[in-house]
Amino acid sequence: MNERRTDGDRPAPEAFLRQAAQEGRGRLKLFLGAAPGVGKTYEMLTDGMQRKRAGVDVVVGVVETHGRIETEALTRGHEIVPRVGVDYQGRTLAEMDIDGILSRHPELVLVDELAHSNAPGSRHPKRYQDVEELLAAGIDVYSTINVQHIESLNDVVASFTKVRVRETVPDRVLETAEIEVVDIPPDELIERLKDGKVYIPDEASRALNHFFSKSNLSALRELALRRAAQAVDAQMLDYVRAHALAGSFAAGERVIVALSERSDAPGLVRAAKRLADALRAPWTALHVETPRTSGLSADDRQRLDQSMALAAQLGAATATIPARNVVEGLCAYAAEARATQIVVGKSSRSWWFEFRHGSVVDQLVRNLKDVAVHVLPADGTRATAAGSRSAGPGRHGKPSDYLYSTLMVAGVTGGALALGTVLDIANIALLYLLPVMMAASLYGLRAGLFASLASSLAYNFFFLPPTGTFTVNNPENVVTIVVLLSVALVTSQFAARMRAQADLATSSARLNAALAGFSRQLTTIASDEELMQAICAELARLFDARACVLTPSDDGPQLRAAWPPEDKLEHMERAAAQWAIDKSTPTGRGSDTLTGSDWLFYPMRTARGVLGVVGLARDDGGDPVPSDKIALLLSLTDQAALVLERMQLADEMRDVARLKERDRLRAALLSSVSHDLRTPLTAILAAVSEMRLGSSPELLDTVEAEAQRLNRFVANLLDMARVEAGVMRLHVEPTDLTDAIASAVHDTRAALVGHEIKLGVSPGLPLVRVDAQLFHHVLINLLDNAGRYADPGTPIRIDAERTPGELVLSILDEGPGLPPGREEEVFQTFARFEGSDRSKGGTGLGLAIVKGFADAMGLVAMAANRTGEPRGARFSIHFPERVLVRDFDQEKAL
């Protein structure tokens, strides 16, 4: 959005607020280079040393010397904050100690390689985020960056270097930074590379043949200089706007081209593009919306939209602003944008037209003192004939407007005649200003002028002697009529102008309200399907048309949502949608491509490409989007594309998080399997060796026990995989708790050796609806856990009782219990309490399986320490009322 100012000596609020937001923050200085080896780090350390000699408290946060002797020598004079180690996949990676720097709180910290990605497990994934935290703490930062690491230039660099850099920094980081370009000629950098001052010899030879070619270095150098110039220009504009400084400050060129509905507008666009390219300047295509704009015909609006679309396609920023007239709008926008060049067209006008309205070109030259005005002659043909403008309300008005204006004049006349019989009204002429103002306000200027003339005639006919005629005997009355007519004309002009401005404001407010409402609605949506359905419903409401959303897929455009609901599109529509996806341009009815389609498709574009297309169609076969609403459609599709991109990024982040968790589980599984598979296998192998010498019942028991233990461990692995994959299939049936407990105790008898089992199961408990096999696994894992951690020779108690609203099954052991405050952590996958009594043995899978199976069956697994004596752990399974079998059902089941 463009920043607006109400007068020339008032600061722009947005720029002022941005500068105020920097108060209390540290300042960032970036040393920008075209490529590695230009001397960014060397320059940063040199500047840091100069600041230190000037009495500034300077420390080194992180510097990558890459083995360069001269760079390492510069670090010796600085205080270096030691890096902190981060463990990652069995290795320790050294990263900047941000907490150490914050604790030290120097005035200036030197941080090399701003685009660096931190090791997983660090506070922030990127180093520039560390720097932002330091700046927020009021610490100044010097840092280095190469031009290929700037996000907006990443694709440009990759297009000619054939190397895509994965570590990037958002452009917003450069917006408030002081930038110093560290530059050396390409030939000198190549010599440094050959001398081994950038890379080791083997890497240097490969780099010379690829990234460090002279053509690449020259292009990178130009990009760095231009990007630095853009940043400096933006900061300069921000400063002058915040301080309301007059002047264009033409350190950098800025071009504006003024567009209208005329047929020569595309020529203006191309001329402005050539001028901007020659000046290497940003340019904007501007349309000033005046009261006259409401009278444009559909063809005029289509021409205007095509010209604006051409400008956007050629790389211009586009803007539409409301104003009372073209000159006022152009002058205001040029002052805000600090434009240095304006391109306008000079149309052929009659001397009478220029006498009444003046010349736009002459007024621009007079009002814009510091701006070069480029005037291109018109092609000699008007966009439309005068009579081709819509003769509706915007031009001559409707017949009903004049009828209502006449009735208002008649009403005032009748009221004045009635009042004249009872009151002596001296200034009846003033009453006629009422219908004039009302007609001009409600129906426009022409209706106001008509009401002015009708009021003068009515006043003369009914109130000036001789009444009943249009004759005027008294010369004074002639003056009264002339004054009345003049005042009425001026009043109608003002009223009509106010109405036009109100119409513009209303249209702008309606557009902003639609965009704001659409944005609020999108922010509350949590899934792609809901988003696309909301987009369709909102577009259908705003444009009174059918709407759909399609996304790309391997089999062509996929219909994701439609309003009203629709199952399929015809072949022509799908071809048009595919073209819009491939070419990122509108297609279908009302566009320039595949117009045979009944649907109009607009791409949803983002920096990542086209994410999909929105389609609109009308049942009557007309153009789906009026030309005056194309800007609204573009804004809505841009908003929808951004929200869709945000959701896709969130999904990708969740996928990344799942991959990280999977890697963590895999590493934990491998470390667990290496021990827990080896132990029973070792025992089995030893028993088999002894059995070869002679049969022994004890050895057979050992083989059987260890084989069962190994089988149980493998079963736990498979069960955990099912839980993690979410592929549990339940076979729910009424189950008797007593039978289930007895079966689980029998299968874990080896793990419970030396422990007495005490049952405290209340009689008459109802059956429970569970998956018998999964519930059996829950019980044997709980009993195995109790047998492993209970003190030798102590009893294990199993209680089951009915409480209000649920049934609770508990397994209590007498042992060390659980670490206080960490009871629920035992249900986490591979949970091991290092340094505690519960770190011995086990894989950390059994209780995680208990939790996963219980959740799948709608049960609640809980862990706690026993209260009082004896001490130990208490694991309980809570059966809610809905899984309990009522008496009638129980009898039927039995």
Side-chain angles (χ1 to χ4, degrees):
M1 296 297 293
N2 295 305
E3 296 164 357
R4 308 305 302 270
R5 294 186 298 162
T6 55
D7 52 62
D9 57 356
R10 175 174 155 185
E14 296 86 352
F16 187 77
L17 289 173
R18 276 197 296 271
Q19 289 212 345
Q22 297 302 313
E23 295 295 328
R25 288 177 58 88
R27 292 179 300 173
L28 174 63
K29 181 175 181 179
L30 291 178
F31 294 85
L32 174 64
V38 298
K40 302 180 300 300
T41 305
Y42 187 92
E43 190 69 21
M44 178 183 70
L45 290 170
T46 302
D47 276 22
M49 183 59 68
Q50 292 175 356
R51 294 290 303 277
K52 183 176 182 180
R53 290 169 182 165
V56 178
D57 184 14
V58 182
V59 301
V60 171
V62 59
V63 166
E64 306 291 352
T65 63
H66 298 291
R68 298 165 190 160
I69 299 175
E70 61 272 20
T71 305
E72 290 180 352
L74 284 177
T75 62
R76 298 191 187 108
H78 287 285
E79 176 187 347
I80 301 176
V81 177
R83 302 193 196 186
V84 64
V86 179
D87 293 330
Y88 178 65
Q89 293 185 350
R91 295 183 299 164
T92 300
L93 305 179
E95 295 291 354
M96 182 174 68
D97 186 3
I98 185 172
D99 289 320
I101 297 173
L102 291 172
S103 166
R104 170 70 172 74
H105 206 282
E107 295 178 71
L108 173 64
V109 60
L110 310 182
V111 180
D112 204 7
E113 296 187 1
L114 185 65
H116 171 77
S117 295
N118 293 329
S122 302
R123 181 184 305 178
H124 302 122
K126 297 288 186 178
R127 184 170 290 170
Y128 76 82
Q129 295 171 317
D130 294 338
V131 168
E132 288 179 331
E133 184 172 347
L134 295 175
L135 294 173
I139 302 174
D140 293 345
V141 177
Y142 282 3
S143 189
T144 62
I145 187 174
N146 287 324
V147 68
Q148 63 264 31
H149 294 291
I150 299 175
E151 179 65 43
S152 62
L153 299 179
N154 186 256
D155 291 339
V156 179
V157 173
S159 67
F160 61 83
T161 63
K162 310 305 179 185
V163 176
R164 180 174 292 276
V165 178
R166 299 300 177 186
E167 295 180 324
T168 58
V169 172
D171 288 56
R172 61 176 173 79
V173 177
L174 281 72
E175 292 176 357
T176 57
E178 176 187 350
I179 296 179
E180 178 178 329
V181 178
V182 182
D183 183 44
I184 61 174
D187 290 334
E188 184 177 338
L189 179 57
I190 291 174
E191 288 301 321
R192 286 175 52 83
L193 194 67
K194 291 179 178 178
D195 293 341
K197 296 181 179 180
V198 180
Y199 296 127
I200 60 177
D202 289 342
E203 293 181 356
S205 60
R206 287 196 300 270
L208 282 170
N209 295 327
H210 297 88
F211 189 86
F212 281 81
S213 66
K214 185 172 181 179
S215 58
N216 284 351
L217 292 177
S218 299
L220 290 169
R221 187 185 187 197
E222 181 183 0
L223 277 179
L225 294 172
R226 290 175 62 184
R227 186 62 184 85
Q230 290 175 7
V232 172
D233 186 61
Q235 292 169 15
M236 181 270 296
L237 287 180
D238 223 31
Y239 181 84
V240 298
R241 287 169 177 165
H243 294 80
L245 301 180
S248 61
F249 289 83
E253 300 289 348
R254 293 173 286 276
V255 180
I256 293 176
V257 56
L259 298 182
S260 67
E261 75 284 358
R262 295 179 59 85
S263 60
D264 57 357
L268 292 178
V269 172
R270 297 184 182 95
K273 168 64 174 174
R274 292 193 295 272
L275 177 63
D277 286 346
L279 297 173
R280 297 187 179 277
W283 61 298
T284 301
L286 176 67
H287 171 64
V288 181
E289 196 173 56
T290 64
R292 170 180 168 275
T293 307
S294 61
L296 296 181
S297 66
D299 291 340
D300 291 337
R301 290 190 176 277
Q302 185 175 6
R303 261 186 296 272
L304 174 61
D305 295 336
Q306 290 173 348
S307 300
M308 297 291 279
L310 174 63
Q313 184 179 354
L314 294 179
T318 59
T320 300
I321 61 170
R324 289 187 300 176
N325 55 66
V326 173
V327 174
E328 179 181 313
L330 276 174
C331 291
Y333 190 87
E336 292 171 2
R338 309 286 171 165
T340 60
Q341 314 272 341
I342 288 185
V343 180
V344 295
K346 174 64 175 176
S347 57
S348 300
R349 300 288 191 182
S350 65
W351 68 269
W352 174 244
F353 182 91
E354 292 197 359
F355 174 78
R356 289 183 299 147
H357 302 286
S359 169
V360 172
V361 174
D362 292 342
Q363 294 180 61
L364 285 176
V365 172
R366 283 196 300 269
N367 294 333
L368 298 174
K369 303 295 185 183
D370 301 327
V371 180
V373 180
H374 300 262
V375 183
L376 274 68
D379 58 7
T381 59
R382 289 188 53 80
T384 56
S388 69
R389 295 189 184 278
S390 56
R395 181 76 176 160
H396 301 294
K398 297 181 291 187
S400 59
D401 297 345
Y402 300 99
L403 174 61
Y404 292 138
S405 300
T406 303
L407 292 177
M408 285 189 286
V409 173
V412 169
T413 301
L417 290 172
L419 290 174
T421 60
V422 295
L423 298 174
D424 184 15
I425 302 177
N427 295 319
I428 292 178
L430 295 178
L431 296 176
Y432 282 100
L433 295 180
L434 295 175
V436 172
M437 290 189 295
M438 292 184 64
S441 300
L442 295 175
Y443 310 121
L445 177 60
R446 294 180 180 275
L449 296 177
F450 175 80
S452 301
L453 181 59
S455 298
S456 299
L457 294 175
Y459 178 68
N460 182 15
F461 188 83
F462 289 102
F463 298 101
L464 292 181
T467 58
T469 68
F470 291 105
T471 304
V472 180
N473 291 335
N474 190 343
E476 295 181 358
N477 291 335
V478 176
V479 175
T480 303
I481 293 176
V482 173
V483 171
L484 171 63
L485 183 59
S486 300
V487 172
L489 290 174
V490 173
T491 303
S492 64
Q493 284 273 13
F494 280 123
R497 185 176 300 174
M498 291 177 61
R499 175 179 180 268
Q501 291 180 351
D503 289 343
L504 287 177
T506 301
S507 175
S508 178
R510 188 181 301 114
L511 174 63
N512 292 334
L515 293 175
F518 187 56
S519 179
R520 283 195 302 271
Q521 183 179 1
L522 295 185
T523 56
T524 62
I525 295 175
S527 68
D528 290 354
E529 299 302 327
E530 292 180 13
L531 170 65
M532 295 175 186
Q533 197 62 38
I535 293 172
C536 290
E538 189 68 11
L539 291 178
R541 183 185 68 83
L542 291 174
F543 296 97
D544 191 23
R546 291 179 290 154
C548 68
V549 174
L550 297 95
T551 56
S553 68
D554 294 338
D555 299 328
Q558 179 184 2
L559 182 63
R560 298 292 299 275
W563 190 267
E566 193 159 346
D567 294 333
K568 62 180 181 177
L569 295 176
E570 299 298 331
H571 179 72
M572 173 63 76
E573 279 66 41
R574 291 192 173 275
Q578 186 64 54
W579 185 275
I581 292 172
D582 294 339
K583 304 299 183 181
S584 187
T585 58
T587 58
R589 182 175 294 275
S591 70
D592 296 330
T593 308
L594 298 177
T595 56
S597 170
D598 292 334
W599 289 77
L600 170 64
F601 295 99
Y602 262 82
M604 292 189 289
R605 292 183 288 254
T606 67
R608 309 177 73 197
V610 177
L611 302 184
V613 293
V614 297
L616 292 167
R618 298 185 65 86
D619 293 329
D620 57 10
D623 288 345
V625 181
S627 57
D628 59 336
K629 290 188 175 181
I630 289 180
L632 174 61
L633 176 61
L634 290 175
S635 298
L636 294 174
T637 53
D638 287 344
Q639 283 192 10
L642 289 175
V643 176
L644 184 59
E645 181 184 35
R646 175 179 59 80
M647 287 189 171
Q648 290 186 356
L649 288 174
D651 290 340
E652 291 176 5
M653 290 300 295
R654 283 192 290 269
D655 291 340
V656 170
R658 282 195 292 268
L659 287 174
K660 289 183 177 179
E661 178 64 16
R662 192 175 302 168
D663 288 340
R664 186 189 68 81
L665 292 175
R666 185 179 295 112
L669 175 62
L670 291 175
S671 64
S672 177
V673 166
S674 63
H675 174 268
D676 288 278
L677 280 181
R678 187 183 298 116
T679 301
L681 286 176
T682 301
I684 292 173
L685 291 174
V688 170
S689 298
E690 292 294 332
M691 290 171 63
R692 290 182 183 274
L693 301 177
S695 179
S696 173
E698 293 79 6
L699 292 178
L700 291 175
D701 292 340
T702 301
V703 170
E704 181 183 13
E706 295 301 329
Q708 288 178 349
R709 179 182 173 189
L710 180 59
N711 180 64
R712 191 158 55 247
F713 177 70
V714 173
N716 282 343
L717 287 177
L718 296 175
D719 290 339
M720 197 66 244
R722 294 167 63 195
V723 172
E724 294 289 341
V727 292
M728 303 297 300
R729 294 184 180 179
L730 301 181
H731 301 284
V732 178
E733 58 184 356
T735 302
D736 186 274
L737 280 180
T738 304
D739 294 341
I741 294 171
S743 176
V745 170
H746 177 270
D747 288 349
T748 55
R749 60 187 181 279
L752 300 177
V753 171
H755 298 283
E756 178 187 0
I757 303 300
K758 293 184 177 181
L759 292 178
V761 180
S762 301
L765 290 178
L767 303 180
V768 292
R769 292 191 182 91
V770 293
D771 184 305
Q773 184 177 1
L774 296 187
F775 186 58
H776 181 71
H777 281 284
V778 168
L779 291 178
I780 62 176
N781 277 293
L782 288 177
L783 290 171
D784 181 74
N785 178 78
R788 182 180 299 113
Y789 294 107
D791 292 338
T794 59
I796 295 175
R797 185 173 182 82
I798 304 176
D799 290 342
E801 59 179 347
R802 179 74 179 270
T803 62
E806 64 179 0
L807 188 152
V808 181
L809 172 65
S810 303
I811 297 178
L812 304 91
D813 63 52
E814 297 180 14
L818 303 170
R822 303 178 62 187
E823 290 86 352
E824 292 301 317
E825 292 183 26
V826 297
F827 292 119
Q828 296 178 4
T829 307
F830 302 114
R832 307 283 289 273
F833 296 108
E834 299 298 333
S836 71
D837 292 333
R838 297 192 66 85
S839 64
K840 58 183 181 180
T843 63
L845 283 176
L847 294 179
I849 291 172
V850 169
K851 178 70 172 175
F853 283 7
D855 291 344
M857 293 185 290
L859 312 180
V860 178
M862 300 180 67
N865 283 316
R866 298 177 66 172
T867 58
E869 291 295 335
R871 70 189 186 102
R874 176 192 183 101
F875 291 89
S876 57
I877 302 295
H878 295 252
F879 300 83
E881 190 72 35
R882 63 178 180 276
V883 304
L884 303 182
V885 179
R886 295 176 299 177
D887 292 341
F888 173 79
D889 293 335
Q890 188 167 349
E891 292 176 2
K892 183 177 179 181
L894 293 175

